[in-house]
Amino acid sequence: MWQARGVLLVAVAVASVVPDGAGAMAAGRCTTSTPVKAYDKCIALPTQGATLAWTYDARNATLDAAFTGSFISPSGWVAWGVNADAPVMTGARVLAAFSDPSTGALLALPFVLSPDVKIQASPLVSRPLDIPLLASSASLLAPARTVRDGARVTIAATIRLSPNRTRIHFVWNRGLYVQGYSPTIHPTDASDLASHATVDILTTATEASPIASTALQWLHGSLNALSWGLLLPVGAAVARYLRPCASTGPAWFYAHAAIQATGYTMGAAGFALGLVMGAASPGVTYRLHRGLGIAAATAGSLQTLAVFFRPKTTNRYRKYWKSYHHLVGYGCVVVGVVNVFQGFEVMGLGASYWKLGYCLALATLIGACVALEVNAWVVFCRRQQEEKLTRREVEDVVVKDRAAAF
């Protein structure tokens, strides 16, 4: 895409405060009038309330663009750039705006997002870009005079493109902290991971990664929290603590089977929704959450299949099947509960009342299990003592009978 490969140093841009009239650029509403200059075209980018305005000069293949985004913390950063190969972060050349740790002035420094940066194998260090960047600057929008949460910033750049190549891959994002002059990793919400788009700068046609609807996310989360996070643990507790009660008869088994079947069905539906959302949101990946979900779904499926191969009580392999059933079942419960908490973090509900409510429900279940476990051990020890006394009485009677016989 790039016509030249010469290394160009990018100047540090000192912060400037724009007039109040420039504040017309509201979050998510684009305008061709920016603090830097007036442009020909503009679009509202699909995430983070960001906008992009530009003028393209076809005669010399020059793109004059201004990206506007918002900070999410006083010590945060906002970045925008281009990728010559694909609409992804890896391989992108970006400009990051943040406060100078020494002077407090606003900087716009160049960065190359190599694969090492994505896996956090090395810190992000500013270096000259290997693209024909002709000019760059960064400025805060009034009324903000310093970087703060919600402050809007415009990053402007002039880039020379290859002739007749008008479909440009743009990427952008924002983060909470800057360590020295190195921006740290950005949040991993769905909107953050989907902050990239391909724009035709002649027609303004935009191709962006779709994001799963909020309703679908909530349905996915609700099904999985109820199934993997509550019903399956309850079903496991029913089997463990009701089975020893002779008064329940086979009722414990039917209750256990019904609860687990319902929980697995709901969990499978929630897992399927997760796959649908993943397929509909390319580039948005939660590796830990996905891995735990696959592990829980696999364990649940194995448990379901194992029911059809359960040996009879008189079969010598029955004890091995029971050990397998207990091990995989408890493992599935633990992984499922852990993944529910991971899901809260993915949805940005780590400090919400929804998580608090789930924690209270789970704590109630754990408390009941602890009480039942203590009671089971008390009953077990009491029975052992009674059986021991009974054996002694029987032995005493036998000894007396033998003595009387002699």
Side-chain angles (χ1 to χ4, degrees):
M1 178 179 292
W2 308 112
Q3 187 179 49
R5 289 292 177 181
V7 175
L8 299 176
L9 292 176
V10 178
V12 173
V14 180
S16 63
V17 180
V18 302
D20 291 341
M25 185 181 293
R29 295 177 57 189
C30 81
T31 175
T32 55
S33 178
T34 73
V36 182
K37 63 177 73 174
Y39 295 90
D40 291 341
K41 302 177 185 297
C42 74
I43 60 170
L45 295 173
T47 65
Q48 300 180 353
T51 64
L52 181 66
W54 72 89
T55 296
Y56 176 62
D57 188 345
R59 293 172 299 178
N60 54 14
T62 300
L63 177 67
D64 202 4
F67 165 85
T68 300
S70 58
F71 289 96
I72 54 176
S73 80
S75 58
W77 54 269
V78 175
W80 164 77
V82 294
N83 192 322
D85 302 316
V88 296
M89 291 291 176
T90 303
R93 273 62 176 168
V94 303
L95 293 170
F98 54 87
S99 291
D100 189 321
S102 302
T103 66
L106 188 66
L107 305 180
L109 297 183
F111 295 90
V112 177
L113 304 184
S114 64
D116 288 341
V117 173
K118 182 176 181 179
I119 62 176
Q120 303 181 59
S122 60
L124 186 60
V125 178
S126 177
R127 58 173 170 167
L129 303 182
D130 55 355
I131 63 175
L133 180 64
L134 306 181
S136 66
S137 65
S139 56
L140 290 170
L141 276 68
R145 294 185 177 274
T146 59
V147 174
R148 57 177 172 78
D149 184 10
R152 302 279 289 172
V153 61
T154 293
I155 302 174
T158 302
I159 308 170
R160 179 169 290 116
L161 307 176
S162 298
N164 303 320
R165 296 296 298 273
T166 60
R167 294 181 72 256
I168 312 299
H169 306 304
F170 292 105
V171 298
W172 63 95
N173 227 307
R174 56 193 181 181
L176 292 168
Y177 305 106
V178 176
Q179 294 180 346
Y181 292 89
S182 177
T184 60
I185 188 171
H186 59 75
T188 56
D189 293 342
S191 61
D192 298 301
L193 295 178
S195 294
H196 49 78
T198 300
V199 180
D200 190 316
I201 56 178
L202 289 182
T203 65
T204 71
T206 304
E207 300 173 12
S209 296
I211 303 175
S213 67
T214 302
L216 198 61
Q217 294 178 28
W218 277 95
L219 181 59
H220 166 76
S222 300
L223 285 174
N224 287 331
L226 288 174
S227 57
W228 306 108
L230 284 177
L231 283 178
L232 294 182
V234 168
V238 166
R240 177 165 180 79
Y241 300 115
L242 293 187
R243 182 181 181 184
C245 300
S247 59
T248 62
W252 73 267
F253 175 79
Y254 297 118
H256 170 69
I259 294 173
Q260 298 304 77
T262 303
Y264 176 74
T265 302
M266 293 176 61
F271 180 72
L273 283 178
L275 296 179
V276 171
M277 290 192 299
S281 306
V284 181
T285 304
Y286 302 98
R287 293 185 179 180
L288 179 58
H289 186 56
R290 180 181 62 182
L292 291 174
I294 292 174
T298 301
S301 299
L302 289 174
Q303 283 288 81
T304 303
L305 292 175
V307 172
F308 298 101
F309 300 96
R310 183 178 59 169
K312 295 182 178 180
T313 55
T314 56
N315 192 300
R316 61 175 180 171
Y317 294 108
R318 174 78 172 201
K319 60 180 181 179
Y320 301 112
W321 182 91
K322 288 180 62 178
S323 298
Y324 158 83
H325 189 64
H326 292 163
L327 178 64
V328 176
Y330 289 133
C332 179
V333 167
V334 171
V335 172
V337 170
V338 170
N339 205 28
V340 169
F341 282 102
Q342 183 64 24
F344 280 117
E345 300 301 322
V346 167
M347 294 186 67
L349 301 175
S352 67
Y353 287 110
W354 293 102
K355 183 178 179 180
L356 178 61
Y358 175 72
C359 288
L360 291 175
L362 187 62
T364 301
L365 176 60
I366 293 175
C369 289
V370 170
L372 290 171
E373 188 71 24
V374 171
N375 178 73
W377 278 101
V378 170
V379 172
F380 174 77
C381 293
R382 185 180 299 168
R383 287 178 178 175
Q384 290 292 102
Q385 188 67 22
E386 291 175 354
E387 291 177 359
K388 186 177 181 180
L389 292 175
T390 302
R391 284 197 300 269
R392 285 184 178 179
E393 291 176 358
V394 171
E395 291 175 356
D396 290 342
V397 171
V398 171
V399 170
K400 290 180 181 179
D401 290 343
R402 288 180 179 178
F406 286 104

